[in-house]
C-alpha cells in the first residue's frame, strides 16, 4: 500500500523581502481580529445573551474563523475549535425553535453542519468551512503523530462531508494508525460505498477482516477491489494469500491455475502454483496418519497372531500340568513336591488364560468392526491417490518453471528438496527389508535410492552455484557423505 501523505491547505507565500513587513502586519492584524471576536462571543454566552440563538451562531462562526485561520499560534491555543463550533451550532438550532418550528438562525446554523452538493456532485456551501476546519485540524494532529486526535477530527470531517471520499479514506487510514480498527472499517467501507477505487483501501480493509478471522468479508472485499481494478496484481496475489491463510488451498490453486493458463511464461507464478500443489500434498500427511492410527485399531490379523501365541503359552502350561499329574500316578512318593509344582504352574496357567480371554475378546470386537476397517482402507487408498496426484502436479509445474528459467534458484532448490525426501523414503524401505527380501531386491532398491540422491545433488549443486546459501551447503555436505564423494566434500571445506 502506498505511503500516506497529507497536503496542507497552506496559504501561498508572497515572494520578495519588500513584502515581509507588510505580511507580518497583516498576520498580526488578522490574529487580533480573530482573538477579539472569540473573546467577545465567549463573554456574550456568559451573560443574558446566552439564551439567544444568534449569539451561539456568532460564536460558532468566530471559532470557525479561528480553526480555518492557518495560524498555528491560534490553532495551537484552541486545538478543539472545530468541536466548539459544532456545539455552538447545535445550541443555536435548539434555541431557535418556536412551536416545533425552526427559525432562520437555526436554518443558517444547519447549513454549516453538512456540505451541500450541486447536481454535478461538487461540494459547496457553508458546510465547506466546517469540513475544512476538521480536515486542517486532523492534518495538523497527524503530522504531530497524535493519531487518536487526528482520527476524531477526520471522523467529523467525514460526517460533515457525507459524499466525500477523501475524508472517509483518511479516517480509515488514520484509524489503522491509531489501532482503532472499528473506526478504520467505517471509514474504508464508506469510501467504497461512495465509489472509491483506490486498490490500497480495498487491501487494507481486507487485512482488517482477515485479522478478525472474518473470511467472507475479507475475500468479498478483495473480489470487489479486483472487479474495480482488474489489472492490479497486488490484490490478486493477496486473494491467493488469503485463501492460504484461511486453509482454502483448493481455491488458491484454482485461482492461480487460471493465472498460469493466461501467462505460462511467468516463472514466479508457475513456481507459486507448484508450491501450492506441494503444500497440498503435505496436507494429506496428517489425514493419512490419522487413518493409519484408526486402522491399527482394526488390525484383526495382528490380534490373531497374538491369540495364537498366547494359546501356545496356555497349552504349554496345560501339557506340563498333565505331565506332573501323570508323574504322581507313576511315583506316589514324590506326590507332595509334585503337587506343589502343579499348584504353582496352575496359577501361572490361569493368569495366561485370563490374558488369552482378553485377546479373544479384542479379536471378537475387531472382527465385528471389519466393515469399518474396509471403509478406512478405501479412504486411505483415496487419500494416497490424491496425494500422489498433488505431488505429480507440483513436479510438473516445477519442471515447467525450470524450462522457463533454468537459472531460477527457488525452482532448483525445491526440486532438490523433493528428490532428497523421496530418496530418504526409499532408504527407509531398504532399512526395513528382512534378510530374504534384501537378498532378492536389496541391491536394486539401493540403486534406485542412490539415483534419487544423485538427482537431488544435481539440483542442489545448481542452486548453490546461483546463490551461496548456508542451508544448501549443508544439504550438499550430507549428499556428498551419503554418496561417498570425498573430493567434493573437501571442496566445501570438510
Amino acid at each position: 500500500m502506498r505511503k500516506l501523505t497529507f497536503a496542507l491547505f497552506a496559504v501561498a507565500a508572497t515572494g520578495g523581502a519588500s513584502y515581509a513587513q507588510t505580511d507580518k502586519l497583516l498576520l498580526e492584524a488578522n490574529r487580533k481580529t480573530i482573538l477579539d471576536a472569540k473573546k467577545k462571543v465567549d463573554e456574550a454566552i456568559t451573560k443574558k445573551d446566552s439564551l439567544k440563538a444568534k449569539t451561539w451562531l456568532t460564536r460558532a462562526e468566530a471559532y470557525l474563523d479561528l480553526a480555518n485561520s492557518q495560524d498555528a499560534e491560534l490553532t495551537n491555543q484552541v486545538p478543539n475549535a472545530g468541536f466548539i463550533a459544532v456545539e455552538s451550532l447545535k445550541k443555536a438550532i435548539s434555541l431557535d425553535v418556536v412551536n416545533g418550528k425552526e427559525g432562520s438562525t437555526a436554518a443558517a446554523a444547519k447549513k454549516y453542519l453538512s456540505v451541500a452538493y450541486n447536481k454535478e456532485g461538487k461540494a459547496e456551501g457553508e458546510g465547506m468551512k466546517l469540513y475544512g476546519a476538521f480536515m486542517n485540524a486532523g492534518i495538523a494532529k497527524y503530522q504531530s503523530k497524535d493519531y487518536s486526535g487526528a482520527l476524531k477530527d477526520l471522523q467529523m470531517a467525514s460526517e460533515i462531508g457525507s459524499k466525500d471520499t477523501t475524508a472517509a479514506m483518511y479516517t480509515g487510514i488514520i484509524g489503522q494508525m491509531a489501532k482503532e480498527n472499528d473506526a478504520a472499517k467505517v471509514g474504508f467501507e464508506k469510501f467504497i460505498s461512495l465509489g472509491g477505487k483506490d486498490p490500497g483501501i480495498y487491501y487494507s480493509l481486507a487485512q482488517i477482516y482477515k485479522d478478525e478471522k472474518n473470511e467472507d468479508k475479507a475475500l468479498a472485499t478483495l473480489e470487489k477491489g479486483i472487479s474495480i481494478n482488474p489489472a492490479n496484481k497486488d490484490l490478486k496475489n493477496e486473494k491467493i494469500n488469503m485463501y492460504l491463510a484461511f486453509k482454502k488451498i483448493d481455491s488458491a490453486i484454482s485461482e492461480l491455475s487460471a493465472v498460469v493458463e493466461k501467462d505460462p511464461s511467468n516463472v514466479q507464478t508457475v513456481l507459486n502454483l507448484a508450491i501450492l500443489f506441494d503444500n497440498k500434498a503435505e496436507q494429506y500427511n496428517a489425514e493419512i496418519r490419522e487413518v493409519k492410527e484408526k486402522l491399527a485399531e482394526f488390525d484383526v490379523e495382528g490380534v490373531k497372531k497374538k491369540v495364537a501365541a498366547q494359546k501356545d503359552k496356555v497349552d504349554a502350561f496345560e501339557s506340563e500340568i498333565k505331565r506332573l499329574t501323570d508323574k504322581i500316578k507313576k511315583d506316589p512318593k514324590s506326590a507332595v513336591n509334585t503337587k506343589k509344582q502343579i499348584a504353582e504352574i496352575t496359577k501361572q496357567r490361569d493368569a495366561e488364560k485370563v490374558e488369552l480371554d482378553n485377546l479373544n475378546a479384542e479379536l471378537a470386537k475387531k472382527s465385528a468392526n471389519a466393515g469399518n476397517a474396509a471403509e478406512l482402507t478405501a479412504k486411505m487408498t483415496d487419500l494416497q491417490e490424491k496425494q500422489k496426484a498433488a505431488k505429480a502436479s507440483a513436479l510438473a509445474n516445477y519442471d515447467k518453471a525450470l524450462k522457463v528459467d533454468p537459472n531460477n534458484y527457488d525452482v532448483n532448490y525445491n526440486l532438490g528438496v523433493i528428490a532428497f525426501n523421496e530418496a530418504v523414503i526409499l532408504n527407509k524401505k531398504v532399512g526395513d527389508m528382512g534378510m530374504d527380501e534384501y537378498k532378492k531386491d536389496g541391491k536394486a532398491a539401493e540403486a534406485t535410492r542412490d539415483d534419487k540422491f544423485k538427482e537431488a545433488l544435481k539440483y542442489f549443486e545448481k542452486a548453490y552455484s546461483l546463490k551461496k546459501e548456508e542451508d544448501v551447503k549443508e544439504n550438499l555436505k550430507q549428499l556428498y557423505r551419503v554418496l561417498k564423494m570425498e573430493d567434493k566434500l573437501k571442496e566445501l571445506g570438510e
Side-chain angles (χ1 to χ4, degrees):
M1 184 179 168
R2 70 173 189 274
K3 185 179 178 182
L4 172 68
T5 55
F6 280 114
L8 280 172
F9 298 116
V11 178
T14 54
S18 60
Y19 293 98
Q21 187 63 28
T22 303
D23 286 346
K24 184 178 178 181
L25 291 172
L26 287 172
L27 178 64
E28 290 176 352
N30 188 55
R31 184 179 295 162
K32 185 177 185 304
T33 300
I34 290 172
L35 288 175
D36 286 347
K38 173 185 173 299
K39 181 180 178 182
K40 185 176 180 181
V41 293
D42 284 344
E43 290 174 351
I45 63 167
T46 63
K47 300 176 182 178
K48 61 181 181 178
D49 287 350
S50 62
L51 297 177
K52 292 181 180 180
K54 183 66 175 175
T55 300
W56 287 94
L57 176 59
T58 303
R59 183 176 189 246
E61 290 171 335
Y63 274 90
L64 266 176
D65 287 341
L66 190 156
N68 283 309
S69 67
Q70 297 298 325
D71 186 342
E73 187 169 316
L74 291 178
T75 54
N76 287 340
Q77 287 183 42
V78 192
N80 62 334
F83 288 100
I84 294 173
V86 170
E87 291 171 6
S88 300
L89 290 168
K90 289 180 178 178
K91 183 72 173 178
I93 294 168
S94 69
L95 291 174
D96 191 26
V97 180
V98 180
N99 298 324
K101 293 184 178 180
E102 295 177 348
S104 58
T105 300
K110 278 190 170 182
K111 289 181 179 180
Y112 282 107
L113 289 173
S114 62
V115 173
Y117 296 90
N118 61 25
K119 291 180 180 180
E120 290 75 34
K122 185 177 180 181
E124 58 185 19
E126 298 300 321
M128 289 297 292
K129 293 181 181 178
L130 194 57
Y131 168 85
F134 282 110
M135 285 295 287
N136 283 336
I139 290 165
K141 288 170 186 172
Y142 160 78
Q143 290 178 328
S144 63
K145 293 184 171 49
D146 175 12
Y147 299 133
S148 294
L151 176 61
K152 291 176 183 176
D153 285 310
L154 291 166
Q155 283 175 313
M156 187 61 77
S158 184
E159 182 180 330
I160 295 163
S162 59
K163 296 181 181 180
D164 180 59
T165 56
T166 303
M169 178 175 72
Y170 290 160
T171 296
I173 294 170
I174 300 301
Q176 278 189 302
M177 290 180 170
K179 301 189 185 306
E180 295 189 29
N181 282 345
D182 286 341
K185 283 191 295 185
V186 170
F188 288 147
E189 289 285 12
K190 182 178 179 180
F191 172 85
I192 290 171
S193 70
L194 291 172
K197 298 181 180 180
D198 191 309
I201 301 306
Y202 288 90
Y203 181 93
S204 295
L205 181 58
Q207 291 302 310
I208 293 175
Y209 285 129
K210 177 185 175 183
D211 292 340
E212 292 177 347
K213 305 291 189 290
N214 192 330
E215 298 180 22
D216 292 339
K217 283 199 171 184
L219 289 168
T221 300
L222 286 174
E223 285 167 4
K224 186 168 185 178
I226 291 168
S227 69
I228 293 171
N229 303 278
N232 189 277
K233 292 182 179 179
D234 291 337
L235 290 177
K236 291 177 180 177
N237 289 338
E238 183 54 27
K239 186 180 177 184
I240 294 168
N241 290 334
M242 209 75 89
Y243 279 136
L244 294 176
F246 295 141
K247 302 190 185 305
K248 294 184 176 183
I249 195 166
D250 287 336
S251 297
I253 286 173
S254 176
E255 196 86 13
L256 197 55
S257 294
V259 177
V260 169
E261 189 174 343
K262 288 181 180 178
D263 185 11
S265 63
N266 187 320
V267 66
Q268 190 59 50
T269 308
V270 179
L271 171 60
N272 287 341
L273 182 58
I275 292 170
L276 286 183
F277 277 115
D278 223 342
N279 290 339
K280 184 176 175 65
E282 285 296 315
Q283 283 185 357
Y284 284 117
N285 284 334
E287 290 183 78
I288 290 171
R289 194 182 308 114
E290 184 180 345
V291 173
K292 279 183 178 178
E293 289 172 358
K294 288 182 179 178
L295 273 172
E297 298 174 12
F298 304 114
D299 181 15
V300 175
E301 293 305 317
V303 179
K304 279 183 178 179
K305 290 178 182 178
K306 289 181 181 179
V307 167
Q310 189 64 24
K311 191 173 182 303
D312 287 343
K313 282 186 182 181
V314 172
D315 289 346
F317 282 118
E318 293 282 10
S319 296
E320 183 62 10
I321 291 170
K322 186 177 181 303
R323 186 187 71 79
L324 291 171
T325 302
D326 291 341
K327 181 180 178 182
I328 292 173
K329 292 177 182 178
K330 293 177 181 178
D331 185 11
K333 293 180 180 180
S334 64
V336 175
N337 288 332
T338 303
K339 284 180 180 180
K340 284 183 180 180
Q341 285 181 279
I342 290 173
E344 290 176 3
I345 293 170
T346 300
K347 187 177 179 181
Q348 292 176 10
R349 179 207 62 187
D350 290 344
E352 296 297 342
K353 283 182 75 175
V354 169
E355 178 62 20
L356 179 60
D357 290 341
N358 290 337
L359 286 170
N360 276 318
E362 184 181 352
L363 178 61
K365 182 179 177 181
K366 291 193 174 185
S367 296
N369 289 321
N372 292 334
E375 185 180 331
L376 283 169
T377 301
K379 185 176 180 181
M380 170 73 80
T381 301
D382 180 57
L383 288 171
Q384 288 174 332
E385 287 299 317
K386 286 178 177 177
Q387 186 180 55
K388 184 179 178 182
K391 285 182 177 179
S393 294
L395 196 57
N397 280 285
Y398 279 128
D399 287 340
K400 190 186 297 182
L402 193 66
K403 287 177 183 176
V404 175
D405 182 8
N407 293 319
N408 186 286
Y409 170 83
D410 292 318
V411 175
N412 280 281
Y413 181 83
N414 287 0
L415 282 169
V417 169
I418 290 173
F420 184 84
N421 289 340
E422 288 179 2
V424 169
I425 293 170
L426 291 170
N427 190 53
K428 186 176 185 304
K429 286 181 179 179
V430 172
D432 291 341
M433 284 181 174
M435 185 60 70
D436 291 338
E437 185 183 4
Y438 183 80
K439 286 179 181 178
K440 180 183 177 184
D441 302 317
K443 293 299 180 183
E446 285 179 340
T448 302
R449 174 203 63 193
D450 290 345
D451 285 343
K452 193 56 70 172
F453 273 130
K454 289 173 184 176
E455 183 182 339
L457 178 63
K458 175 184 70 174
Y459 291 121
F460 281 134
E461 284 183 330
K462 179 66 175 179
Y464 193 64
S465 72
L466 297 167
K467 197 184 294 185
K468 299 293 188 290
E469 295 288 348
E470 193 60 32
D471 58 340
V472 185
K473 185 178 181 179
E474 290 304 314
N475 290 342
L476 286 174
K477 287 179 181 179
Q478 191 172 351
L479 282 166
Y480 290 146
R481 291 189 190 102
V482 168
L483 296 171
K484 297 180 173 55
M485 301 173 70
E486 300 299 328
D487 291 342
K488 288 284 189 178
L489 198 58
K490 288 178 181 178
E491 288 179 17
L492 288 178
E494 285 293 302

